[in-house]
Amino acid sequence: MTAKRFGTVECNGSGDCPDGTVCEDGVCVDGYGQPVEDDYTVVEDRPVRYHANGTELTRSESGTDVVDNPAIEGRADLLTGLQAGDSVTLEPMSDGFDTHTDLEIVGSPLPAYGRRSRPTATHVELETA
């Protein structure tokens, strides 16, 4: 899984910024001194388990079957890297599966707790962008 976010491009030095821009106070700026905004990677090459739309059914209080949103589950440390609105690309780890490039995170990533009340996994709901 790779997740990207649209926002101000941060930098550590001039070599980190796109062509025609410079690094000032940790942010890439153009020739007019305006911060540069673009998609930047927040999480890269992380293994996750994908639950496609329609694969999980939940019984609602009214007794009707409801199809859950597509979702991913990953390690607990994904909680700090992801947020609502990030675009997600999923690439299969083995042959025979599809690549998904049109997914977006809905809501905040949720922790899944283990025996000792520590997050052991992250559950992230997605929607097709």
Side-chain angles (χ1 to χ4, degrees):
M1 176 196 74
T2 300
K4 293 188 176 196
R5 183 176 302 146
F6 183 80
T8 304
V9 179
E10 297 178 359
C11 58
N12 293 326
S14 293
D16 296 345
C17 294
D19 291 339
T21 63
V22 295
C23 185
E24 289 184 8
D25 299 324
V27 176
C28 295
V29 296
D30 60 16
Y32 299 104
Q34 297 297 315
V36 176
E37 291 186 337
D38 199 1
D39 283 332
Y40 62 95
T41 302
V42 291
V43 174
E44 190 169 26
D45 294 332
R46 302 298 288 280
V48 294
R49 177 173 285 146
Y50 177 61
H51 301 284
N53 188 19
T55 59
E56 296 183 17
L57 293 177
T58 305
R59 175 102 29 215
S60 69
E61 292 178 13
S62 66
T64 308
D65 287 337
V66 178
V67 178
D68 287 339
N69 283 346
I72 55 174
E73 291 178 11
R75 294 185 177 154
D77 58 352
L78 284 178
L79 277 174
T80 58
L82 300 175
Q83 69 182 29
D86 289 349
S87 60
V88 174
T89 299
L90 300 174
E91 295 180 8
M93 294 176 71
S94 59
D95 293 336
F97 295 96
D98 295 331
T99 296
H100 300 278
T101 59
D102 58 346
L103 299 171
E104 185 174 304
I105 295 176
V106 179
S108 297
L110 301 171
Y113 290 97
R115 291 182 176 183
R116 297 183 182 161
S117 298
R118 290 186 219 150
T120 57
T122 301
H123 178 82
V124 182
E125 286 195 12
L126 305 168
E127 70 179 2
T128 303

